[in-house]
Amino acid sequence: MRQEAAISNSQTYKDAGVDIDAGDALVEAIKPLAAATRRRGADAALGGFGALFDLKAAGFKDPVLVASTDGVGTKLKVAIETGLHDGVGIDLVAMCVNDIVVQGAEPLFFLDYFATSRLDVTMGKAVVAGIAKGCEIAGCALIGGETAEMPGMYAKGDYDLAGFSVGAVERDRLLTGSNIKVGDVLLGLASSGVHSNGFSLVRHLVTRSGLSYDAPAPFAPGKTLGQALLEPTRIYVKPCIAAINAGLIKGLAHITGGGLVENIPRVLPKGTVAAIDATKWERPKVFDWLQEIGQVTDHEMARTFNCGIGMVLVVPAVHAGKAKGMLEGEGETVFEIGRLEAGASDTAEAETRLTGTERAWHG
């Protein structure tokens, strides 16, 4: 009797809030998703303790590895509140692989970390399906990941995502920015919306507006506010790699946190100024709405959001037309947004000078 009583009171991991069976079910559910991302050098099989990638099989001779890690940020709070989880996996991949391509590198493989309070297999599969979709768009293999159930660490229904990607570039094709000079042209690739930066401010402004996420989006007919704000981050890898391989690109800047103001100078040499004219592209209406709701200054908009330009390319003036045509042929919307000018001195830190916002954003 004592033994039976002891067995009946025996505690399990599931009693503590961690369901191993649910974790196993998620792994089985996502195996076909990972398999669909196979590429040369990786078979994208899941289940081992570590994942392998064969650089030689991928065709590299003298590669330099480029690694990146990132997350989705508080955009996840919008996904959680709306129950719309399909796109945040694409965001996760985009934030990593877009940072890799700016070095001239091709993203090779991706791993994710998915942590939650209690695993919901349906929700988890939706998230990982987005990750797999992002990998397909970027041309990299989803070769592994980790799912963690942590009751007590996260509130019920909450989850977090982190991504890790590794790419490679032949040593003689690495983009260092050393050949960037005054007179080079700046091309901007259109963003798909807010992408995955500035969402703490976005959420604050939504609260200020008094609208719910299921209300019609004032700036996107036919969509709810939540759907419009959750538009996934655009992945620029394949078009940029094509232009790099054609010898048309000197430098790339992924416009993430810090916006146009802080990201472009990161790839420029000292003594240069990125002279950007905001009248050269049409800013998506989501930014007009956010700026109006919060009475946000132009400078704050330009250092918080991408404002419609998700990637900036530095190209020789003589090749600007060819580069623009190639990128448009790859499906991008391309704008010539400015040029490099001389700074105050050869030793002055590179900077962005943004003009035309009054006409473009308030006209």
Side-chain angles (χ1 to χ4, degrees):
M1 292 293 292
R2 288 182 180 177
Q3 185 177 13
E4 289 178 1
I7 290 173
S8 66
N9 290 323
S10 175
Q11 298 296 291
T12 66
Y13 212 180
K14 189 172 184 178
D15 292 324
V18 179
D19 190 343
I20 296 174
D21 293 333
D24 292 341
L26 179 58
V27 170
E28 289 303 313
I30 65 179
K31 279 183 177 180
L33 302 174
T37 68
R38 285 191 180 100
R39 54 153 294 152
R40 285 191 306 160
D43 64 9
L46 300 182
F49 286 97
L52 305 177
F53 191 92
D54 187 339
L55 282 168
K56 186 176 181 180
F60 288 92
K61 297 176 181 178
D62 184 24
V64 175
L65 295 179
V66 181
S68 179
T69 184
D70 212 332
V72 182
T74 58
K75 188 175 186 177
L76 289 179
K77 293 293 289 182
V78 181
I80 291 165
E81 288 187 39
T82 59
L84 301 172
H85 308 285
D86 296 351
V88 291
I90 298 176
D91 287 303
L92 182 65
V93 175
M95 297 305 290
C96 294
V97 298
N98 284 341
D99 278 355
I100 285 176
V101 77
V102 300
Q103 307 287 159
E106 172 190 354
L108 302 175
F109 59 85
F110 191 88
L111 299 97
D112 69 278
Y113 177 76
F114 174 44
T116 185
S117 57
R118 183 179 292 273
L119 185 59
D120 179 320
V121 175
T122 301
M123 179 186 73
K125 184 179 178 182
V127 171
V128 178
I131 295 172
K133 179 64 175 177
C135 287
E136 285 188 65
I137 296 170
C140 64
L142 177 58
I143 61 174
E146 173 68 10
T147 302
E149 242 183 327
M150 295 191 284
M153 181 68 73
Y154 295 94
K156 183 179 180 182
D158 280 354
Y159 65 92
D160 198 10
L161 291 173
F164 313 87
S165 189
V166 173
V169 56
E170 296 292 1
R171 194 176 304 273
D172 60 358
R173 291 196 173 188
L174 189 66
L175 292 183
T176 64
S178 61
N179 60 342
I180 292 175
K181 63 182 182 180
V182 170
D184 285 340
V185 168
L186 302 173
L187 299 180
L189 304 186
S191 71
S192 55
V194 182
H195 285 185
S196 295
N197 296 105
F199 263 84
S200 291
L201 178 55
V202 170
R203 291 167 47 244
H204 173 71
L205 295 177
V206 169
T207 300
R208 182 186 177 105
S209 76
L211 295 178
S212 63
Y213 287 117
D214 60 1
F219 52 86
K223 291 185 177 181
T224 67
L225 181 58
Q227 288 171 332
L229 292 174
L230 287 170
E231 185 68 32
T233 304
R234 190 162 180 82
I235 295 174
Y236 300 101
V237 170
K238 291 181 179 178
C240 287
I241 289 293
I244 291 167
N245 289 342
L248 301 175
I249 307 299
K250 287 186 173 184
L252 292 164
H254 182 201
I255 309 305
T256 57
L260 292 164
V261 173
E262 297 182 8
N263 283 291
I264 301 174
R266 294 169 64 182
V267 304
L268 302 180
K270 288 185 176 181
T272 58
V273 174
I276 306 293
D277 183 352
T279 66
K280 298 298 184 181
W281 75 94
E282 183 176 353
R283 190 174 67 163
K285 296 186 184 302
V286 59
F287 298 109
D288 298 339
W289 182 75
L290 290 169
Q291 185 166 21
E292 181 181 355
I293 290 296
Q295 298 180 1
V296 185
T297 66
D298 290 350
H299 180 71
E300 187 68 13
M301 291 295 294
R303 69 190 294 263
T304 304
F305 301 116
N306 66 64
C307 292
I309 300 295
M311 184 75 77
V312 172
L313 296 76
V314 185
V315 303
V318 68
H319 293 323
K322 184 177 180 180
K324 185 173 185 292
M326 173 176 279
L327 291 160
E328 288 173 340
E330 293 284 333
E332 297 299 325
T333 301
V334 188
F335 307 95
E336 186 173 321
I337 63 173
R339 287 181 177 255
L340 281 191
E341 297 180 354
S345 71
D346 290 343
T347 58
E349 293 296 326
E351 62 176 302
T352 297
R353 184 184 303 132
L354 180 64
T355 60
T357 57
E358 185 63 35
R359 283 179 293 155
W361 298 352
H362 307 285

